[in-house]
Amino acid sequence: RMKHGQSLSLLLLCLLFVATMCNPPVADETAKESIPNSETIAPEGFKALFNGVDLEGWYTVSDGNGPDSLEIFRAENGTIHAYPSQKAGSRQSFAGLVTKEEYSSYILTFDFKWGEKKFEPRTGNVKDAGVLFHIFDETDFWPYGVECQIQEGDLGDLWIIGARASARVDASEHYATNGELKTKGEIENKYHRFSRSFSWEVPGWNKVEVEVNGDHATFTINGKVVNEAIDMKYWDAEKNSWEPLTKGKILLQAEGAEIFYRNVFIKRL
Protein backbone atom coordinates (compact mmCIF):
# COMPACT_ATOMS: atom_id res chain seq x y z
CA ARG A 1 0.00 0.00 0.00
CA MET A 2 1.34 3.50 -0.94
CA LYS A 3 2.21 5.99 1.68
CA HIS A 4 0.59 9.44 1.62
CA GLY A 5 3.83 11.11 0.35
CA GLN A 6 4.15 8.62 -2.52
CA SER A 7 0.55 9.23 -3.57
CA LEU A 8 1.12 12.99 -3.65
CA SER A 9 4.29 12.61 -5.73
CA LEU A 10 2.48 10.39 -8.22
CA LEU A 11 -0.36 12.91 -8.49
CA LEU A 12 2.10 15.75 -9.21
CA LEU A 13 3.83 13.72 -11.91
CA CYS A 14 0.50 13.01 -13.58
CA LEU A 15 -0.46 16.68 -13.53
CA LEU A 16 2.92 17.64 -15.01
CA PHE A 17 2.51 15.09 -17.78
CA VAL A 18 -0.95 16.42 -18.68
CA ALA A 19 0.31 20.03 -18.68
CA THR A 20 3.20 19.11 -20.94
CA MET A 21 0.96 17.37 -23.44
CA CYS A 22 -1.48 20.29 -23.53
CA ASN A 23 1.27 22.92 -23.78
CA PRO A 24 4.20 21.44 -25.71
CA PRO A 25 7.52 23.27 -25.36
CA VAL A 26 8.29 26.05 -27.89
CA ALA A 27 12.06 25.71 -27.73
CA ASP A 28 12.21 24.38 -31.30
CA GLU A 29 10.31 27.37 -32.69
CA THR A 30 12.49 29.78 -30.73
CA ALA A 31 15.60 28.09 -32.10
CA LYS A 32 14.25 28.42 -35.63
CA GLU A 33 13.63 32.14 -35.12
CA SER A 34 17.20 32.61 -33.88
CA ILE A 35 18.73 31.26 -37.11
CA PRO A 36 19.81 34.24 -39.25
CA ASN A 37 17.79 34.70 -42.44
CA SER A 38 20.18 35.13 -45.37
CA GLU A 39 17.45 36.57 -47.61
CA THR A 40 18.21 40.22 -48.35
CA ILE A 41 15.59 42.88 -47.58
CA ALA A 42 15.90 46.04 -49.69
CA PRO A 43 15.56 49.52 -48.17
CA GLU A 44 12.42 51.49 -48.98
CA GLY A 45 12.29 52.45 -52.64
CA PHE A 46 15.00 49.95 -53.61
CA LYS A 47 14.87 46.47 -55.10
CA ALA A 48 17.30 43.67 -54.22
CA LEU A 49 19.28 42.69 -57.33
CA PHE A 50 20.79 39.85 -55.29
CA ASN A 51 18.21 38.07 -53.14
CA GLY A 52 20.78 36.77 -50.64
CA VAL A 53 19.91 33.14 -51.36
CA ASP A 54 20.78 32.30 -54.98
CA LEU A 55 21.90 33.95 -58.22
CA GLU A 56 18.45 34.20 -59.80
CA GLY A 57 18.38 37.07 -62.31
CA TRP A 58 22.10 36.83 -63.11
CA TYR A 59 24.35 34.87 -65.47
CA THR A 60 28.13 34.43 -65.70
CA VAL A 61 30.59 35.33 -68.47
CA SER A 62 34.33 34.62 -68.37
CA ASP A 63 37.52 34.87 -70.40
CA GLY A 64 37.87 31.07 -70.44
CA ASN A 65 41.48 31.12 -69.27
CA GLY A 66 40.93 28.93 -66.22
CA PRO A 67 39.15 25.71 -65.15
CA ASP A 68 35.63 27.04 -65.58
CA SER A 69 34.13 23.76 -64.44
CA LEU A 70 34.46 25.28 -60.96
CA GLU A 71 31.82 27.85 -60.10
CA ILE A 72 33.34 31.33 -59.93
CA PHE A 73 30.41 32.99 -58.15
CA ARG A 74 28.42 31.41 -55.33
CA ALA A 75 25.56 32.69 -53.18
CA GLU A 76 26.78 32.04 -49.66
CA ASN A 77 25.60 33.31 -46.25
CA GLY A 78 23.86 36.32 -47.75
CA THR A 79 26.84 37.27 -49.96
CA ILE A 80 28.05 36.73 -53.50
CA HIS A 81 31.40 34.98 -53.00
CA ALA A 82 33.83 35.12 -55.93
CA TYR A 83 36.30 32.18 -56.19
CA PRO A 84 34.73 30.40 -53.19
CA SER A 85 36.42 26.99 -53.51
CA GLN A 86 39.39 27.71 -55.78
CA LYS A 87 42.86 27.08 -54.41
CA ALA A 88 44.93 30.20 -53.75
CA GLY A 89 47.66 30.71 -56.34
CA SER A 90 45.98 28.56 -58.99
CA ARG A 91 45.24 29.91 -62.46
CA GLN A 92 41.66 31.09 -62.70
CA SER A 93 39.46 32.82 -65.24
CA PHE A 94 38.43 36.43 -64.94
CA ALA A 95 34.64 36.52 -64.85
CA GLY A 96 31.60 38.71 -64.58
CA LEU A 97 28.22 38.19 -62.96
CA VAL A 98 25.75 39.97 -65.23
CA THR A 99 22.14 41.06 -64.71
CA LYS A 100 19.66 39.62 -67.18
CA GLU A 101 17.85 42.95 -67.21
CA GLU A 102 18.98 46.32 -68.59
CA TYR A 103 18.80 49.55 -66.61
CA SER A 104 18.95 53.23 -67.59
CA SER A 105 18.56 55.73 -64.72
CA TYR A 106 19.01 54.40 -61.20
CA ILE A 107 20.96 54.33 -57.96
CA LEU A 108 22.97 51.13 -57.46
CA THR A 109 24.40 50.41 -54.02
CA PHE A 110 26.34 47.46 -52.64
CA ASP A 111 28.98 46.51 -50.09
CA PHE A 112 32.18 44.59 -50.80
CA LYS A 113 35.14 43.24 -48.90
CA TRP A 114 38.27 41.38 -49.99
CA GLY A 115 38.97 37.75 -49.20
CA GLU A 116 42.44 36.38 -48.58
CA LYS A 117 43.10 34.52 -51.85
CA LYS A 118 44.71 35.74 -55.08
CA PHE A 119 45.06 33.79 -58.30
CA GLU A 120 47.26 33.59 -61.39
CA PRO A 121 47.88 35.61 -63.44
CA ARG A 122 47.48 38.32 -60.74
CA THR A 123 49.09 36.78 -57.66
CA GLY A 124 51.75 39.49 -57.72
CA ASN A 125 49.30 42.37 -58.19
CA VAL A 126 46.96 44.31 -55.92
CA LYS A 127 43.47 42.84 -55.57
CA ASP A 128 41.21 43.98 -58.39
CA ALA A 129 37.52 43.87 -59.29
CA GLY A 130 34.83 46.38 -60.28
CA VAL A 131 31.27 47.04 -61.33
CA LEU A 132 30.51 47.61 -65.03
CA PHE A 133 27.29 49.28 -66.10
CA HIS A 134 25.58 50.31 -69.35
CA ILE A 135 27.02 47.17 -70.99
CA PHE A 136 26.14 47.35 -74.68
CA ASP A 137 28.35 44.73 -76.36
CA GLU A 138 29.21 41.28 -74.95
CA THR A 139 30.97 39.85 -78.01
CA ASP A 140 34.35 40.59 -76.40
CA PHE A 141 35.69 40.14 -72.88
CA TRP A 142 35.52 42.38 -70.95
CA PRO A 143 32.12 43.49 -72.30
CA TYR A 144 31.94 47.07 -73.52
CA GLY A 145 30.58 49.61 -71.06
CA VAL A 146 31.69 51.88 -68.21
CA GLU A 147 33.28 50.75 -64.93
CA CYS A 148 33.56 51.93 -61.37
CA GLN A 149 36.82 50.28 -60.35
CA ILE A 150 37.22 48.27 -57.17
CA GLN A 151 40.95 47.90 -56.61
CA GLU A 152 43.20 48.19 -53.59
CA GLY A 153 44.30 51.82 -53.47
CA ASP A 154 42.25 52.84 -56.51
CA LEU A 155 38.67 52.45 -55.34
CA GLY A 156 36.45 54.59 -57.55
CA ASP A 157 38.59 54.96 -60.67
CA LEU A 158 36.58 55.41 -63.87
CA TRP A 159 37.32 52.94 -66.65
CA ILE A 160 35.85 53.46 -70.11
CA ILE A 161 35.75 50.15 -71.99
CA GLY A 162 35.11 50.37 -75.70
CA ALA A 163 33.13 53.54 -75.10
CA ARG A 164 33.65 57.29 -74.67
CA ALA A 165 33.10 59.62 -71.71
CA SER A 166 34.30 62.85 -70.16
CA ALA A 167 35.37 63.71 -66.63
CA ARG A 168 36.48 66.81 -64.72
CA VAL A 169 40.13 66.43 -63.74
CA ASP A 170 43.05 68.32 -62.26
CA ALA A 171 46.53 68.56 -63.79
CA SER A 172 47.34 65.00 -62.69
CA GLU A 173 44.11 63.71 -64.29
CA HIS A 174 42.50 62.91 -60.95
CA TYR A 175 38.83 63.78 -60.50
CA ALA A 176 38.19 67.35 -59.37
CA THR A 177 34.70 68.85 -59.09
CA ASN A 178 35.85 72.13 -60.64
CA GLY A 179 38.50 70.62 -62.88
CA GLU A 180 38.98 70.79 -66.62
CA LEU A 181 36.56 68.75 -68.70
CA LYS A 182 38.47 66.07 -70.59
CA THR A 183 37.19 63.36 -72.96
CA LYS A 184 38.61 59.89 -73.56
CA GLY A 185 37.59 57.06 -75.86
CA GLU A 186 38.63 56.04 -79.37
CA ILE A 187 37.61 53.16 -81.57
CA GLU A 188 41.20 51.89 -81.83
CA ASN A 189 41.87 51.74 -78.05
CA LYS A 190 39.46 49.81 -75.85
CA TYR A 191 40.55 50.88 -72.36
CA HIS A 192 40.75 54.41 -70.93
CA ARG A 193 41.00 55.56 -67.32
CA PHE A 194 40.23 58.59 -65.16
CA SER A 195 41.58 58.31 -61.60
CA ARG A 196 39.42 58.96 -58.53
CA SER A 197 39.97 62.07 -56.42
CA PHE A 198 41.04 60.10 -53.32
CA SER A 199 40.82 56.49 -52.20
CA TRP A 200 38.43 56.28 -49.24
CA GLU A 201 38.80 52.51 -48.92
CA VAL A 202 38.76 51.10 -45.38
CA PRO A 203 39.58 47.60 -44.06
CA GLY A 204 36.65 45.21 -44.17
CA TRP A 205 33.34 46.15 -45.76
CA ASN A 206 33.14 49.20 -48.04
CA LYS A 207 30.00 50.79 -49.49
CA VAL A 208 29.82 51.67 -53.19
CA GLU A 209 27.10 53.81 -54.75
CA VAL A 210 26.78 54.42 -58.49
CA GLU A 211 24.10 56.90 -59.47
CA VAL A 212 23.29 56.79 -63.18
CA ASN A 213 21.11 59.26 -65.04
CA GLY A 214 21.10 58.18 -68.67
CA ASP A 215 24.50 59.20 -70.04
CA HIS A 216 25.84 60.56 -66.73
CA ALA A 217 27.13 58.68 -63.66
CA THR A 218 28.52 59.61 -60.23
CA PHE A 219 30.62 57.30 -58.03
CA THR A 220 30.37 57.56 -54.23
CA ILE A 221 32.61 55.51 -51.94
CA ASN A 222 31.79 55.29 -48.24
CA GLY A 223 29.77 58.50 -48.53
CA LYS A 224 32.38 60.47 -50.52
CA VAL A 225 31.92 61.46 -54.19
CA VAL A 226 35.13 60.37 -55.94
CA ASN A 227 34.43 60.37 -59.68
CA GLU A 228 32.00 61.25 -62.43
CA ALA A 229 31.34 60.00 -65.96
CA ILE A 230 29.89 62.72 -68.18
CA ASP A 231 28.33 62.39 -71.63
CA MET A 232 28.87 58.63 -71.99
CA LYS A 233 28.74 57.39 -75.59
CA TYR A 234 29.03 54.22 -77.67
CA TRP A 235 30.19 53.86 -81.27
CA ASP A 236 27.33 53.26 -83.71
CA ALA A 237 28.95 51.65 -86.76
CA GLU A 238 25.82 52.05 -88.90
CA LYS A 239 25.64 55.79 -88.23
CA ASN A 240 29.44 56.06 -88.17
CA SER A 241 29.20 58.27 -85.09
CA TRP A 242 29.31 58.34 -81.29
CA GLU A 243 25.81 58.11 -79.83
CA PRO A 244 24.56 58.64 -76.24
CA LEU A 245 25.04 55.58 -74.02
CA THR A 246 21.96 55.62 -71.81
CA LYS A 247 21.21 52.03 -70.81
CA GLY A 248 22.66 48.55 -70.39
CA LYS A 249 23.22 45.62 -68.07
CA ILE A 250 25.22 45.63 -64.82
CA LEU A 251 28.21 43.34 -64.17
CA LEU A 252 30.10 42.50 -60.96
CA GLN A 253 33.71 41.52 -61.65
CA ALA A 254 35.92 38.70 -60.39
CA GLU A 255 39.41 39.58 -61.57
CA GLY A 256 41.83 37.17 -59.94
CA ALA A 257 41.11 38.06 -56.30
CA GLU A 258 38.66 36.61 -53.80
CA ILE A 259 35.91 39.13 -53.09
CA PHE A 260 32.53 39.21 -51.35
CA TYR A 261 29.55 41.34 -52.44
CA ARG A 262 26.42 41.89 -50.36
CA ASN A 263 23.37 44.22 -50.10
CA VAL A 264 23.17 44.73 -53.87
CA PHE A 265 20.23 47.12 -54.25
CA ILE A 266 18.87 49.25 -57.09
CA LYS A 267 16.41 52.14 -57.19
CA ARG A 268 15.04 53.27 -60.53
CA LEU A 269 14.95 57.03 -61.05
Side-chain angles (χ1 to χ4, degrees):
R1 200 174 66 173
M2 289 186 180
K3 295 183 180 178
H4 177 70
Q6 292 175 320
S7 300
L8 181 59
S9 298
L10 182 59
L11 177 61
L12 290 173
L13 286 172
C14 290
L15 289 173
L16 180 61
F17 174 77
V18 171
T20 301
M21 294 301 294
C22 294
N23 299 284
V26 295
D28 289 346
E29 292 301 318
T30 303
K32 288 180 183 178
E33 292 174 1
S34 68
I35 298 173
N37 185 357
S38 60
E39 186 174 357
T40 301
I41 307 300
E44 185 176 355
F46 283 78
K47 170 188 174 183
L49 279 184
F50 167 54
N51 62 23
V53 177
D54 57 35
L55 299 180
E56 181 182 359
W58 301 80
Y59 64 92
T60 300
V61 296
S62 80
D63 63 7
N65 291 328
D68 292 333
S69 58
L70 295 175
E71 58 182 340
I72 297 177
F73 297 97
R74 178 191 296 169
E76 182 180 275
N77 300 323
T79 72
I80 298 171
H81 186 181
Y83 305 113
S85 59
Q86 286 79 349
K87 183 180 178 181
S90 60
R91 176 168 291 274
Q92 297 297 330
S93 293
F94 294 168
L97 190 65
V98 189
T99 60
K100 293 181 179 178
E101 192 172 345
E102 289 188 337
Y103 299 90
S104 178
S105 294
Y106 54 89
I107 299 173
L108 171 71
T109 67
F110 62 89
D111 306 328
F112 82 89
K113 75 171 181 178
W114 298 113
E116 296 297 324
K117 298 183 291 184
K118 292 197 288 186
F119 306 93
E120 289 291 352
R122 290 188 57 89
T123 53
N125 301 91
V126 295
K127 294 172 182 173
D128 191 9
V131 54
L132 274 65
F133 58 96
H134 278 10
I135 291 175
F136 61 92
D137 187 343
E138 298 180 52
T139 57
D140 196 9
F141 191 89
W142 293 99
Y144 287 19
V146 180
E147 176 185 348
C148 174
Q149 170 135 301
I150 298 171
Q151 180 173 273
E152 291 177 310
D154 293 311
L155 180 53
D157 282 2
L158 164 62
W159 278 93
I160 304 157
I161 305 174
R164 173 176 285 185
S166 302
R168 299 190 182 278
V169 297
D170 58 20
S172 64
E173 291 201 351
H174 284 71
Y175 172 72
T177 53
N178 297 315
E180 177 187 359
L181 189 65
K182 187 169 184 177
T183 301
K184 293 184 179 182
E186 300 87 30
I187 302 172
E188 298 80 11
N189 300 313
K190 182 177 179 180
Y191 297 99
H192 298 274
R193 176 186 184 185
F194 285 112
S195 297
R196 74 286 176 276
S197 57
F198 184 80
S199 182
W200 294 98
E201 184 176 0
V202 298
W205 289 103
N206 289 265
K207 186 177 184 64
V208 177
E209 178 181 299
V210 179
E211 181 171 343
V212 185
N213 287 279
D215 63 354
H216 180 277
T218 304
F219 303 165
T220 302
I221 306 298
N222 294 323
K224 307 287 186 180
V225 175
V226 300
N227 225 327
E228 190 177 13
I230 302 168
D231 198 21
M232 297 181 289
K233 295 181 182 294
Y234 73 98
W235 178 253
D236 188 321
E238 292 184 358
K239 295 181 178 180
N240 198 37
S241 64
W242 290 97
E243 298 295 323
L245 177 57
T246 59
K247 66 178 182 178
K249 297 176 182 178
I250 298 168
L251 178 154
L252 298 176
Q253 287 184 324
E255 201 165 352
E258 183 182 23
I259 190 171
F260 299 84
Y261 298 100
R262 71 177 184 186
N263 298 331
V264 187
F265 304 130
I266 195 166
K267 178 181 181 179
R268 294 184 186 268
L269 300 176

